[in-house]
Amino acid sequence: MTVKSFLLSGAALAVLATPALANCPTVTVADMQGLSSDYPQQFELTEFEEKAACGLAFAQNPAINDLNSKILGNGELADVAARLPKEPLVVAPYEKIGTYGGVLTGISKGTESGTSDLLSVRHVNFVRYADDLQTVVPNVAKGWAWNDDYTELTITLRDGHKWSDGEPFTAEDVAFWYNDLILNPDVYEKTPGRWLFAGQPVKVEAVDPVTVKFTFPVPTPGILNRFAVDYGQPFQPKHFLSQFMPKYNEKAEELAKEYGFESAKAAVDFYYGGSDWKDVPSPLLKDSDKATKIGRAVVPTLESHIVVEENSEGRKLVANPYFHMVDTAGNQLPYISEISETYIGDKEVQNLKIMNGEVVWKQQAIFLEDFPLLKENEGKGNYTVSFAPTFGENVFFSFNRTHKDPVLAKLFSDVRFNRAMSHALNRDEINEIVYLGQGKPMQGVPAEPKTVSFISDEMLNKDISYDVEGAKALLAEIGLKDSDGDGTLEREDGKPLVVRMVYSTQGVPVKMMELVRDYWSAVGVRVDLKEVTSDEYRAAGNNNDLDVTTWKYDGNAGPTISQDVTAFIPPFGDFFNPGTGFEWAAWKESGGKEGTEPPADIQKLWDLSEKFIQVELGSEESNKLGAEIAQIHVDNLLKIGTVGDIVAPFLYRNDLQNVKPIKAKTYDFYWTYPYRPQQWSLEQ
């Protein structure tokens, strides 16, 4: 599928949202009443009114003023029509016009740990994928246009769109995000590589209040996919953050110190946090007293809900009174008034809360091993648990080839060792025990096979046979021996060969870790297993302190790799999902002055990947480059895969309405974002 084909192809109050004008049909996906739309399941306002031959009047959540009073710094609200853009996005609910009110309760493991499914409920970006997972449709953006060679992207915003504090959202907020945050050395000591193209920055300019133009140094046909699937948001409120920047406010330093910051730079970091993702610790978690003094709890947002409380136990959010969507009856979305997210690290406690009916929606960090228990208790908890296919979810094991211990670095870099560890895995047993027989044994590959055509069966089947004797023979060929007969091989320096495997249950099933420990121990490689929090795991991984990284593949579907080659090049992952080869990455980034020089075939990956994102996904050239990249990965077994083509559970409480069965449980399309959770509602 080519890029062009992607583009073409505690509130107790409950009030039923009723049609604002009788002559406007209350269109739903279940009953489109003869209307068609330019994009699936949504209309622009003028499009809807013209096709329905009516004028749409607007209505609001009856509790919106009470909800707004919880947003620190917000003033009194104007009428809903004045709060909406002049061109709101009109959304057709799946089944029916929803009910206002209620609290969507969910569970995460902690800040930045297992929170993505709930973040995706409120998430927005310029565009999104429709729930067919093929068609890119407008969201914050009203439209877009490319030049012929994919070097200029012009995005049109919605006239009159407002931030959650009521201030105008314009193209200046997009240009500010890139020019004053991404490229600002006071914010990022080094410009994030994902926002450089062929090593060069983008030119981002506000042409007029509703028009922003991106000019890329090289063809970048996949970037619209980034805006459709990415958790980062390429816009930030200039009116708020610029007050702490000397470039815009000559008294910025004075203002920052008045609020108790060491500098204006510290004030920007307090609110922005060096991240476009809304999952970073909020100002309320960093220092709620300081946020209260400033009079703004969190940065204004365009999302459907805004954080109003956060501590070590969880966060609470309320509906954004300036959200840009309405339903086909003119009711401002979202229907659900509040979100309550509780942090629970223990899986058993999580399951207990689900079975007690305390959780409205849960999609992340539910493992198949828990499905029988959760299914058995559906009636007790008044919820429905179902399966969704996963794109690219294949738990991998990646040995640290630039380990700080030179003996382990040498061993882990030997492909024979990695082949041995792969053959030692009983993938059929893993599939039966961990995945209830629902998956398929396969090798780790850097692209999701269902969404690209360059992954061959030969790649998927390489070195996956369960062969204990073959594994032992490969280890013996390296020169590893068990001299004292204790069942554990000795390293080159005579020490026992012990691999310390640290893992987090957010990324991998516990039972799999126990099985792998036993498989590798059976061929003479002793494994010391330790469960840690995801924050501890990531900190160790990104500090190059792990013997082996293990997580499930995330972000490897076609739309993702068409614009972000993180999975292709060292360290073959990002902060949240570290891979291997950190010293290889340091060598590249320093121009050979630091780190460790990688083998020649690994070095080729940088050039191949740069070329890959400059051509259309699915084209002949794209497939040729993709196949070469994938072959290097598989030949080196950079990530040893286990079982793919699996399904994963998700669940919702039965009072949640307008829920559609999801076609894929995956980061690649940012969890529930394609399924329009703003039109979910709760029956009271």
Side-chain angles (χ1 to χ4, degrees), residues 144-220:
W144 62 89
W146 280 103
N147 68 346
D148 289 340
D149 67 354
Y150 290 110
T151 57
E152 291 183 2
L153 174 64
T154 301
I155 291 179
T156 303
L157 304 177
R158 299 180 182 280
D159 188 13
H161 199 161
K162 297 177 178 64
W163 291 98
S164 58
D165 61 355
E167 292 296 319
F169 164 64
T170 73
E172 291 289 345
D173 294 303
V174 182
F176 172 80
W177 156 78
Y178 192 79
N179 299 322
D180 293 293
L181 294 174
I182 297 298
L183 296 182
N184 188 341
D186 285 339
V187 178
Y188 292 100
E189 183 177 346
K190 182 179 179 182
T191 301
R194 69 196 302 265
W195 289 113
L196 296 175
F197 300 85
Q200 300 298 314
V202 186
K203 182 181 180 182
V204 182
E205 54 187 324
V207 178
D208 60 44
V210 296
T211 309
V212 60
K213 183 178 178 182
F214 290 77
T215 304
F216 299 92
V218 293
T220 312

Side-chain angles (χ1 to χ4, degrees), residues 198-259:
Q200 300 298 314
V202 186
K203 182 181 180 182
V204 182
E205 54 187 324
V207 178
D208 60 44
V210 296
T211 309
V212 60
K213 183 178 178 182
F214 290 77
T215 304
F216 299 92
V218 293
T220 312
I223 196 64
L224 201 67
N225 289 327
R226 178 177 301 183
F227 297 141
V229 304
D230 201 63
Y231 52 72
Q233 295 171 344
F235 33 77
Q236 291 292 331
K238 179 179 180 180
H239 71 277
F240 180 74
L241 292 174
S242 65
Q243 68 181 316
F244 298 116
M245 292 183 171
K247 173 181 175 181
Y248 295 103
N249 179 9
E250 61 182 14
K251 295 185 177 181
E253 294 291 347
E254 180 181 329
L255 179 65
K257 289 176 181 176
E258 177 185 331
Y259 287 137

Side-chain angles (χ1 to χ4, degrees), residues 67-75 164-165 240 271 284 288-298 300 306-308 318:
L67 299 170
N68 181 65
S69 69
K70 298 179 182 181
I71 303 173
L72 183 64
N74 270 21
S164 58
D165 61 355
F240 180 74
Y271 278 98
L284 291 170
S288 60
D289 290 340
K290 186 172 290 185
T292 301
K293 181 180 179 181
I294 296 171
R296 182 59 62 188
V298 295
I306 183 169
V307 175
V308 294
V318 299

Side-chain angles (χ1 to χ4, degrees), residues 599-642:
D601 55 347
I602 301 298
Q603 292 185 38
K604 290 173 62 178
L605 290 172
W606 280 290
D607 181 58
L608 291 169
S609 299
E610 193 63 57
K611 292 176 180 176
F612 182 84
I613 61 172
Q614 293 180 31
V615 297
E616 287 188 68
L617 183 69
S619 65
E620 182 179 350
E621 181 64 14
S622 171
N623 289 336
K624 179 181 177 181
L625 291 164
E628 190 172 355
I629 290 167
Q631 196 64 58
I632 291 173
H633 274 250
V634 173
D635 286 346
N636 285 275
L637 285 185
L638 294 172
K639 289 186 175 180
I640 299 170
T642 52

